[in-house]
Amino acid sequence: MTHPIPQTMGQQFGRRSWAEPWKIKMVEPLRMISRKERQRALEAAGYNTFLLRSDDVYIDLLTDSGTGAMSDRQWAGMMLGDEAYAGSRNFYHLEEAVRTQYGFRHVVPTHQGRGAEHLISQTAIKPGQFVPGNMYFTTTRLHQELAGGVFVDVIIDEAHDPASLHPFKGNVDLARLEDLISRVGAEQIAYISLAGTVNMAGGQPVSMANIRALRQLCDRHGLRIFLDATRLVENAFFIQEREQGYADKSIAAILREFCDLADGAWMSAKKDNLVNIGGWLAVNDDALFDELRNLVVVYEGLHTYGGLAGRDMEALAIGIEESVQDDHIRARIGQVRYLGELLTDWEIPIVQPVGGHAIFLDARRFYPHIPQDEFPAQTLAAELYLDSGIRSMERGIASAGRDPKTGDHHRPKLELTRLTIPRRVYTQAHMDVVAESVKAVFDGREQTRGLRMVYEPKYLRFFQARFERL
Ligand code: F0G
């Protein structure tokens, strides 16, 4: 049972406007270089926004990862770093914060999300096993494959349709999962990899009803659920907004209820948890923890720092506490939705409903004349940078990479360009400027030509690939 999706924050919270629950204490100057300089910078970067220098960028919407602003409390915490090699007091603060807010018993810090993905994949996947998940994420799937796993997408079909208004497009298609289990046998399944929200689908949430049903299915077959908790606080916001019975529950309570249905989680703390670097892995099972605590020493560092300085762990512990506050998350998603409303009013094709961390421009509908093999979403990111110095990210065929068996491109249904909003960094006026630039690029769309890839790295090619204009 779900509520209709409010189109504006005003509809949800009454007529009065919302505002950020903070004010600005320190500023960082921005600079916009000329169009000629941007053209030169773009060519030097091989039309890949990952290869631009940040000094050449005006508004940076490449990612919400590690780009947020820390609070004065977090900065004060940085001064309380206990830089001991072993048993730093900041680790125990972090452990307590994860246990309290996410509810898992054992915590292993890592340098960032993919460090945790590596550890869980190496310990919980046997070569040849399947790893069903609600849509792939680039680093997550790669680590599963490097451990010998085979990723299987079991997200509902609506997730692949940018126009579908399904309120929980991150949900698992339980029939599809059941079918996989009956075909290959439960012992051939490593675990369920469940992300909330789903990044590649447009920041779309998973409902509580879905994970509850998933838990029951997994209990019947003796399967574990591990969460990608990177943006799970944002997921909790959508449950509070859209799912019957949650309107009066706090974000913190919803987060705990969700996690209590899983066996563990990995985290890129650079997102929800409001730090510039950091990650963690948390599980309930003692034996698995024992293995993880051993393996972390090989790749990250001792199990009480996992690649982080004491001060980083302190900022992270405080960030976790701040991230679950209702007024924080409401303003965070309110800003994303504000930008979405501007673009929707101008009839610019974006993934609907607007998700948690970003606006995803639908490059297929933006450039219907550019075939997918000519990288429409990459083209759109380049055009946006040329127009205004705004940096965005391709989330289409370049990001999807190649099938490891056939060597052909994965050709995802979603061909998107992501305008990712850093947390607590930009103002509403910045969002206006972004919307106007997207509109200008949209108005010139018919003249735009696609790209061809002239350099392709072996792993995660989108980060370092180079392109030329056709
Ligand atoms: N899982 C999700 C859902 C992510 O979005 C990311 C990173 C990771 C795992 C990996 O974490 O970067 O700390 O190693 N996403 C970034 C992005 C890079 O821009 O979406 P990491």
Side-chain angles (χ1 to χ4, degrees):
M1 194 53 115
T2 56
H3 297 297
I5 299 166
Q7 294 303 303
T8 67
M9 284 306 216
Q11 280 177 18
Q12 186 188 359
F13 295 106
R15 276 188 54 251
R16 303 293 289 267
S17 293
W18 58 274
E20 291 80 1
W22 40 260
K23 56 184 176 173
I24 296 165
K25 180 142 48 185
M26 190 186 283
V27 299
E28 179 182 342
L30 292 178
R31 180 177 80 104
M32 195 205 273
I33 60 175
S34 69
R35 187 178 174 102
K36 218 166 159 192
E37 289 171 303
R38 293 200 294 276
Q39 178 66 52
R40 211 175 304 137
L42 191 61
E43 276 164 25
Y47 289 83
N48 185 346
T49 51
F50 279 102
L51 300 178
L52 289 167
R53 290 174 178 232
S54 133
D55 274 346
D56 294 336
V57 171
Y58 173 44
I59 297 175
D60 201 346
L61 306 185
L62 182 71
T63 175
D64 63 330
S65 182
T67 53
M70 292 207 299
S71 68
D72 52 358
R73 289 178 67 243
Q74 286 177 288
W75 278 106
M78 298 284 280
M79 298 304 290
L80 302 176
D82 170 11
E83 306 305 343
Y85 188 90
S88 162
R89 95 170 71 85
N90 311 117
F91 165 74
Y92 297 104
H93 186 187
L94 169 61
E95 185 183 56
E96 180 204 299
V98 174
R99 280 181 178 160
T100 306
Q101 304 303 342
Y102 293 86
F104 300 111
R105 281 170 55 209
H106 303 297
V107 182
V108 178
T110 61
H111 77 284
Q112 60 180 75
R114 69 199 75 177
E117 288 172 341
H118 175 214
L119 299 179
I120 192 75
S121 301
Q122 292 295 329
T123 47
I125 300 172
K126 293 194 199 87
Q129 278 187 322
F130 295 89
V131 190
N134 53 345
M135 199 173 271
Y136 87 101
F137 183 70
T138 53
T139 57
T140 315
R141 183 178 63 191
L142 178 59
H143 278 296
Q144 291 164 354
E145 288 173 353
L146 289 173
V150 180
F151 173 80
V152 183
D153 191 358
V154 294
I155 203 166
I156 57 172
D157 284 336
E158 286 87 343
H160 295 283
D161 173 5
S164 160
L165 288 175
H166 192 294
F168 291 103
K169 286 166 92 172
N171 281 354
V172 169
D173 183 335
L174 297 168
R176 192 169 286 167
L177 177 59
E178 190 87 69
D179 181 55
L180 176 74
I181 297 169
S182 57
R183 264 190 300 119
V184 305
E187 64 294 337
Q188 269 305 98
I189 293 184
Y191 55 85
I192 314 300
S193 175
L194 186 75
T197 59
V198 181
N199 191 351
M200 303 303 273
Q204 303 295 336
V206 178
S207 72
M208 194 70 84
N210 189 247
I211 187 177
R212 203 172 293 122
L214 180 67
R215 178 75 270 168
Q216 284 170 2
L217 191 160
C218 287
D219 285 347
R220 280 204 304 279
H221 295 283
L223 290 171
R224 297 171 295 185
I225 303 171
F226 292 123
L227 301 173
D228 183 335
T230 297
R231 298 182 183 85
L232 205 52
V233 180
E234 293 175 0
N235 197 92
F237 173 87
F238 291 111
I239 290 175
Q240 188 187 57
E241 176 182 79
R242 297 175 188 174
E243 204 163 349
Q244 198 85 52
Y246 289 93
D248 297 324
K249 289 195 179 157
S250 69
I251 292 295
I254 296 169
L255 180 69
R256 268 304 293 268
E257 187 177 329
F258 199 96
C259 289
D260 286 350
L261 293 162
D263 299 282
W266 66 87
M267 182 72 182
S268 171
K270 303 166 74 172
K271 283 84 160 177
D272 266 359
N273 288 171
L274 298 166
V275 287
N276 302 121
I277 194 72
W280 48 262
L281 182 58
V283 297
N284 287 330
D285 185 75
D286 297 334
L288 178 59
F289 172 60
D290 214 44
E291 273 188 72
L292 291 167
R293 188 166 70 157
N294 190 205
L295 201 63
V296 73
V297 181
V298 182
Y299 293 103
E300 307 273 319
L302 192 69
H303 59 280
T304 56
Y305 77 86
L308 298 173
R311 56 181 173 271
D312 295 333
M313 292 190 283
E314 189 60 27
L316 171 50
I318 298 169
I320 289 173
E321 291 153 9
E322 292 181 356
S323 72
V324 299
Q325 290 169 10
D326 286 56
D327 56 354
H328 157 72
I329 200 68
R330 166 181 164 181
R332 169 0 174 222
I333 293 179
Q335 186 180 42
V336 177
R337 200 168 281 176
Y338 174 81
L339 177 57
E341 284 161 25
L342 293 178
L343 296 174
T344 306
D345 285 349
W346 285 334
E347 295 178 0
I348 290 167
I350 65 173
V351 174
Q352 300 282 6
V354 169
H357 64 303
I359 298 298
F360 289 73
L361 303 172
D362 184 357
R364 278 182 195 275
R365 277 187 289 160
F366 211 98
Y367 292 136
H369 58 289
I370 301 182
Q372 190 170 26
D373 283 22
E374 295 175 9
F375 305 99
Q378 189 80 31
T379 305
L380 179 48
E383 288 299 317
L384 202 56
Y385 174 73
L386 259 188
D387 180 72
S388 59
I390 291 167
R391 172 154 68 173
S392 56
M393 183 193 287
E394 194 264 9
R395 295 275 79 157
I397 187 169
S399 293
R402 290 182 187 274
D403 185 309
K405 276 218 186 85
T406 66
D408 193 15
H409 293 298
H410 284 298
R411 287 191 183 78
K413 289 206 182 105
L414 296 177
E415 179 70 25
L416 309 173
T417 305
R418 189 180 74 175
L419 302 166
T420 339
I421 315 301
R423 294 169 184 78
R424 309 191 293 202
V425 171
Y426 292 113
T427 67
Q428 197 152 310
H430 287 114
M431 296 303 112
D432 293 338
V433 169
V434 171
E436 286 163 18
S437 177
V438 174
K439 176 82 167 74
V441 172
F442 189 60
D443 290 343
R445 64 193 181 279
E446 280 162 19
Q447 281 74 50
T448 306
R449 291 221 222 115
L451 299 168
R452 82 175 144 184
M453 192 164 25
V454 292
Y455 167 67
E456 180 176 357
K458 183 165 168 212
Y459 299 114
L460 303 173
R461 63 182 185 182
F462 59 96
F463 281 128
Q464 293 149 334
R466 301 184 69 83
F467 302 84
E468 273 171 12
R469 229 190 241 296
L470 281 167

